[in-house]
Amino acid sequence: MDSSLAAAYTSRSQAARAVTETWVAENLYCPSCSSETLDPTKPGTKVVDFRCPVCTEPFQLKSQSHPFHSRVLDSAYEPMIQSIANFTVPSFLFLHYNPLEWMVRDLFLVPRHFLSPSFIEKRPPLRPTAERAGWVGCNILLSSLPQDARIDAVRNGIDLPPGDVRGAWSAFSFLRHTTAESRGWIADVLACVREIRRIEFTLDDVYAFEGRLGELHKDNRNVRPKIRQQLQVLRDRGVLEFLGRGRYRVIRVPQTR
Ligand SMILES: [Zn+2]
């Protein structure tokens, strides 16, 4: 990264913002199409930091000097849920840099087609004494996402081939053509399938997640039929194969970390 940009800032966080945004503008390509560049949005644009000049995919950059863990603080809760419902939510770029050498250590992408309320945690309202008393923020639950939703572009300082990144992105871009509710169900069941961590599994293995899925979809009492329906979608999209008698085999595996 170009650390000379940091010299213009007294605030460490503003310096980091300038350096990481410039790095993205100069180095990152669009994972959603063949564009070799992403354009920064106008300063002050809310939520969206970059946009693809070709396919218009919006991105929000989150950068920090330590690795990302299970949850990441984001903006206000209700607008986030609304933007997921109407699909104006941006895709996310999670950039972890080394602050001593100003090096990009890791960069992973989360396509917005994977985002659903299941992966957004409502935070407690700010205290009455806070400047924005009562304001409710949210966390993105990275650890709850299916592994397929976290696409590595840089790992331990090494760039991954753009073809692999774009392939991992497009493998689930069919979710964009479904309803917000369907996207949520498919992503949730896929997360369960990945959590089983076996190439072959049974319907009962997935039914074991019935309680969790019921919690995530409280208005749906027929969780088992919904599970079977999502497994069919995953089969139709080449993620799974049906072996018969309630047995399944994974065909598409996510990127390994
Ligand atoms: Zn694009």
Side-chain angles (χ1 to χ4, degrees), residues 171-188:
F172 289 91
S173 54
F174 70 88
L175 291 169
R176 292 173 179 237
H177 309 295
T178 61
T179 63
E181 199 209 345
S182 299
R183 278 199 293 279
W185 268 105
I186 296 167
D188 287 336

Side-chain angles (χ1 to χ4, degrees), residues 30-35 37-38 52-57 59:
C30 180
S32 186
C33 75
S34 58
S35 171
T37 56
L38 294 179
C52 172
V54 178
C55 72
T56 75
E57 180 71 6
F59 297 90

Side-chain angles (χ1 to χ4, degrees), residues 9-17 97 99-100 102:
Y9 298 88
T10 47
S11 146
R12 181 104 195 136
S13 64
Q14 282 178 4
R17 187 85 211 158
Y97 61 91
L100 300 175
W102 288 109

Side-chain angles (χ1 to χ4, degrees), residues 60 62 71-75 94 123 135 137-140:
Q60 185 178 127
K62 292 208 171 287
R71 40 168 63 74
V72 189
L73 182 65
D74 199 59
S75 51
F94 292 96
R123 289 166 56 86
W135 185 84
C138 70
N139 292 318
I140 302 173

